[in-house]
Amino acid sequence: MTDNSSKNNLVPMLIIGAMFFIFGFVTWINGVLIPFMKTINELTDTQAYLVATASYVAFVVMALPSSYLLKKVGYKKGMSIGLMIMAVGALVFIPAAEARTYWMFLAGIFIQGTGMTLMQTAANPYITILGPIESGAKRIAMMGIANKVAGSIGSIVFGTLLLSGIDDVKDKLSLVSSDEKSQLLDTMANSVVTPYIIMATVLFLFGLLILKAPLPELEGDVDEEVAEGTTAKTSIFQFPHLWLGVLALFVYVGAEVIAGDSIIAYGLSLGLPAEQASNFTSYTLMAMVFTYALGVLLIPKYLSQGLALKISAALGIVFSICILMTTGFTSVLFVAALGIANALVWPAIWPLTLHGLGKFTKTGSALLVMAISGGAIIPPLYGRIVDAGKHDLVTNGIAEAEALASSSNSSYWILLPCYIIILYYAIWGHKVGFKK
């Protein structure tokens, strides 16, 4: 493993931290976009959660191509290209807003997801191998602070810009003519234009600047044949702990996205005002930032990566049960508390999964990036369960608003199997395939 001094690693870590800041800002505004898109395009919950799908499905489609591209151009150029692609995706929001066409918005989100896939494929293994594997979770936790602080800022800024007055618009929609309704929705849709022009400009400029950044290429150490505790391997399929890690990361990302992206819509379904609900994603992210900070202080000196993962999974199970057993603003706070359970899962799974892969590290990293697709599948599944539960309750004579609130709450059961799988990986899964 590369053994650079902390001083030599500082500048690369700051640059990668800036990358994670961008990931967070762009990714976590999805929590705002879901209720926004639902209103301007008059969508069901299932359709609205395709915002998350469009973003995260790019990780399935583009992870292996991104890995191939990085081998050709290197980390620095790859990150620059990723930023440029994200800028193009931001620009697509302009014609999408003019036409108020949902598939165009989804196309813009997918393009941004493609750029983020390239950047994630480079940044996550880079920060993992930029020092001893035993402290990999600590370095990723530092990146997580940048990611979630940016996500909190993004959700607050975009929540203010896009959701301000949404309650009044919803009240007017059922009272006005079809022409007036269309005009109201067009005006609301156009509120994305200026923010996304600014976003595209910043991404493009940063893409140019990264080409001049002092980022060393870390190639030598990931080509080791095998690591201690393993036997010589000839195929990626000979690492069961890798595939179990991919599964754990898949369900984790789904759970994390539900916690961050559903909380605003959940608050609105409970009848809480939009001005209050628009800040809920930031609650989740600030809980994550607090726990990331604990991880930086405690890992690896006082807390091993494996133990951090066990504690996180157990808390996820406890908080999920608390959501189901409460209602109103209390249950919203338990959704936000999932940020505490989620924070150290990603930092712990990456080094535990990459450990021992040797020359297969890059392929393993691409597979882990593909696992981010859990955010494309599990949140829309939550939305579908909400829609189905709401339909059943309305059919049985329950008022629509009450049915939506009840179904939105009970559908959080989907989190339980996710955290149970993570707990299995924390206790047993990451050891499978290693010598006793």
Side-chain angles (χ1 to χ4, degrees), residues 35-36 38-42 100 162-176 180-189 191 274-275:
F36 178 77
K38 182 179 179 181
T39 300
I40 67 170
N41 291 292
E42 301 177 276
R100 194 158 50 85
L162 303 185
L163 298 183
S164 179
I166 192 173
D167 290 335
D168 291 337
V169 171
K170 286 181 178 179
D171 291 340
K172 292 177 181 177
L173 291 179
S174 59
L175 303 174
V176 297
E180 290 173 316
K181 178 180 180 180
S182 180
Q183 186 175 5
L184 277 172
L185 294 178
D186 286 344
T187 300
M188 188 175 177
S191 64
E275 288 76 11

Side-chain angles (χ1 to χ4, degrees), residues 295-307:
V296 171
L297 293 174
L298 299 178
I299 298 174
K301 186 174 182 180
Y302 302 105
L303 186 68
S304 70
Q305 295 168 157
L307 181 57

Side-chain angles (χ1 to χ4, degrees), residues 61-81:
V61 178
M62 300 307 298
L64 288 175
S66 294
S67 179
Y68 176 80
L69 178 62
L70 288 171
K71 289 179 182 178
K72 294 295 184 182
V73 304
Y75 288 114
K76 186 188 297 187
K77 289 182 180 178
M79 292 179 192
S80 177
I81 294 170

